[in-house]
Amino acid sequence: MESEVTERMFSFVGGAMGPWRVLRMEAQIGQSLPWAPRVEAISSLVASCPKDAVWLLRGVTSNERYVTRAERQLLETKQPALGRPDAVHAALIPIRKSDTWWELAQDERRELFEERSEHIKTGLRYLPAIARRLHHSRDLGEEFDFLTWFEYAPEHSEAFEELVVTMRASEEWKYVSREVDIRLVRDSAA
Amino acid sequence: MESEVTERMFSFVGGAMGPWRVLRMEAQIGQSLPWAPRVEAISSLVASCPKDAVWLLRGVTSNERYVTRAERQLLETKQPALGRPDAVHAALIPIRKSDTWWELAQDERRELFEERSEHIKTGLRYLPAIARRLHHSRDLGEEFDFLTWFEYAPEHSEAFEELVVTMRASEEWKYVSREVDIRLVRDSAA
């Protein structure tokens, strides 16, 4: 059981190490994170920020909170795996949502998330170009609620900009109280 | 932020210490936990099982996963706080749900949880007699997915038996792969 859970836990370390070079890093909403030249993505829960690192963000992949069976079926036919050789661009976008969001009931959050903001529908339009993995952090006591990791090929950079602009204009994003946008390129591709 | 999260984290330690004396402890489904004569409920995340203790179970209170606004309003008018002087009986019921459950989409889980199993509606019938706090454990890497803590006065013992029997007969419970039922009485009341 321990190992099963470990497989769902991920850590992102910002510092001098790791195969992902930071191209830019900016706070969209609220406070930024300290600048780090590189990011390492680790498939386990790192207990504390390594001595030479600048920040440590952790999260766990989990069951879906809003996706319906019909939506899942659409997603499954289109969503690509991480690690595609040509997907040398990545983005790590940690967000925190407001207390108002978390105090909403499940049906209210679902309505805002999809019926009013088309979160799933918007993501679907960029599949299979943009691969994505969502990590939940809130219940681990982390400073962000979610960490989303995206991977895409250089020719889809413009599509990715369009995706984040669309999401940020949505009603759901009114409940985002902090967002940092970290853009990366894989070393071998630099 | 750290302190806010800490307030949502709870640990239950089975061992020789604590104000709650174990009346009985039995596995309903799957493997039991080792016998412990007492339980201590701690309002923080204990890092590891204390040397003299037998087991440590941890969880975090979180946003609701299935409750709608209408259901929340009904719950809020009736649900009592923990710690009522006359509520000297308690139950700690750790459960784990099957992979099949967790692989269901949100709408499928909601339908099983409420439309088919009346989880919320059943709980409502026993309010305000039975106070309850739900702790989420799955994403913390714990051996159980949920820990539910109940408190009630001796005169509501029979109502509590009825509640657990009803829940266990529900369709939702077909997805429970492990359940341990721990019954307790508060020391001052012993």
Side-chain angles (χ1 to χ4, degrees):
Chain A
M1 271 178 289
E2 282 301 321
S3 68
E4 180 205 315
V5 165
T6 306
E7 280 166 30
R8 295 200 285 116
M9 292 185 162
F10 295 88
S11 305
F12 298 92
V13 179
M17 311 277 281
W20 294 97
R21 186 162 54 82
V22 177
L23 292 174
R24 59 178 215 266
M25 206 175 123
E26 44 191 50
Q28 283 292 324
I29 301 168
Q31 211 193 336
S32 192
L33 283 167
W35 167 257
R38 289 185 173 276
V39 170
E40 183 157 20
I42 299 167
S43 303
S44 67
L45 205 72
V46 173
S48 61
C49 190
K51 226 174 33 198
D52 300 334
V54 179
W55 43 257
L56 166 66
L57 303 175
R58 300 176 295 183
V60 54
T61 61
S62 189
N63 61 293
E64 292 148 349
R65 305 295 205 253
Y66 304 110
V67 172
T68 63
R69 167 61 52 178
E71 288 159 351
R72 167 105 64 89
Q73 273 157 354
L74 287 172
L75 287 164
E76 277 174 351
T77 59
K78 297 182 80 184
Q79 69 200 348
L82 295 182
R84 292 170 296 178
D86 63 330
V88 297
H89 280 219
L92 173 62
I93 306 191
I95 69 164
R96 187 177 166 93
K97 281 182 167 173
S98 66
D99 292 346
T100 311
W101 173 264
W102 292 115
E103 282 157 17
L104 293 172
Q106 177 68 28
D107 57 338
E108 296 172 307
R109 277 180 280 106
R110 158 72 201 191
E111 198 194 321
L112 276 162
F113 184 86
E114 189 57 22
E115 280 69 33
R116 300 174 72 98
S117 301
E118 303 196 335
H119 190 126
I120 299 159
K121 211 172 281 176
T122 302
L124 270 166
R125 279 208 300 277
Y126 298 93
L127 293 179
I130 295 159
R132 171 186 169 281
R133 190 172 62 210
L134 175 67
H135 312 81
H136 297 256
S137 302
R138 181 170 187 253
D139 286 347
L140 300 183
E142 292 282 300
E143 61 183 309
F144 291 96
D145 291 341
F146 302 100
L147 313 172
T148 315
W149 176 265
F150 301 91
E151 287 179 6
Y152 50 95
E155 64 264 34
H156 295 124
S157 296
E158 223 168 292
F160 186 71
E161 293 314 316
E162 211 180 273
L163 167 60
V164 293
V165 165
T166 307
M167 294 305 299
R168 284 170 188 155
S170 72
E171 195 171 338
E172 183 196 351
W173 239 249
K174 293 181 185 157
Y175 297 86
V176 174
S177 58
R178 189 174 174 201
E179 178 184 9
V180 182
D181 187 337
I182 306 167
R183 299 303 175 87
L184 308 140
V185 64
R186 203 160 58 202
D187 236 6
S188 54
Chain B
M1 273 179 285
E2 283 301 321
S3 68
E4 180 204 316
V5 165
T6 306
E7 280 166 31
R8 295 201 283 116
M9 292 184 164
F10 294 88
S11 305
F12 297 91
V13 179
M17 312 276 282
W20 295 96
R21 184 162 55 81
V22 177
L23 292 174
R24 60 177 214 267
M25 206 176 122
E26 45 191 50
Q28 283 292 322
I29 301 168
Q31 212 194 335
S32 192
L33 284 167
W35 168 258
R38 288 185 174 275
V39 170
E40 183 156 20
I42 300 166
S43 303
S44 67
L45 205 71
V46 173
S48 60
C49 189
K51 227 176 27 202
D52 300 333
V54 179
W55 43 257
L56 166 67
L57 303 175
R58 300 177 296 183
V60 54
T61 61
S62 189
N63 61 294
E64 292 148 350
R65 306 293 205 252
Y66 304 109
V67 172
T68 64
R69 167 62 52 180
E71 289 159 351
R72 167 106 63 89
Q73 273 158 352
L74 288 173
L75 286 164
E76 277 173 350
T77 58
K78 297 182 79 182
Q79 66 199 352
L82 295 182
R84 292 170 295 178
D86 63 332
V88 297
H89 280 220
L92 174 61
I93 306 192
I95 69 164
R96 186 177 167 93
K97 281 182 167 173
S98 66
D99 292 346
T100 310
W101 173 264
W102 293 114
E103 281 156 17
L104 293 172
Q106 177 67 28
D107 56 338
E108 296 171 307
R109 276 180 281 107
R110 159 72 200 190
E111 200 195 321
L112 276 163
F113 184 86
E114 190 57 22
E115 279 68 33
R116 301 173 71 96
S117 303
E118 303 196 335
H119 189 126
I120 300 160
K121 209 171 283 175
T122 302
L124 270 165
R125 279 208 302 275
Y126 298 93
L127 294 179
I130 295 160
R132 173 186 167 280
R133 190 171 64 209
L134 175 67
H135 312 80
H136 297 257
S137 302
R138 183 172 184 251
D139 287 348
L140 300 182
E142 292 281 301
E143 60 183 311
F144 292 96
D145 291 341
F146 302 101
L147 313 173
T148 314
W149 176 265
F150 302 90
E151 286 179 8
Y152 50 95
E155 64 265 34
H156 295 124
S157 295
E158 223 170 293
F160 186 71
E161 294 312 318
E162 210 181 273
L163 167 61
V164 294
V165 165
T166 306
M167 294 304 300
R168 284 171 187 154
S170 72
E171 196 172 337
E172 183 196 351
W173 239 250
K174 293 180 183 157
Y175 297 87
V176 174
S177 59
R178 190 174 173 200
E179 178 182 9
V180 182
D181 188 337
I182 306 167
R183 298 304 176 85
L184 307 139
V185 63
R186 204 161 58 202
D187 236 6
S188 55

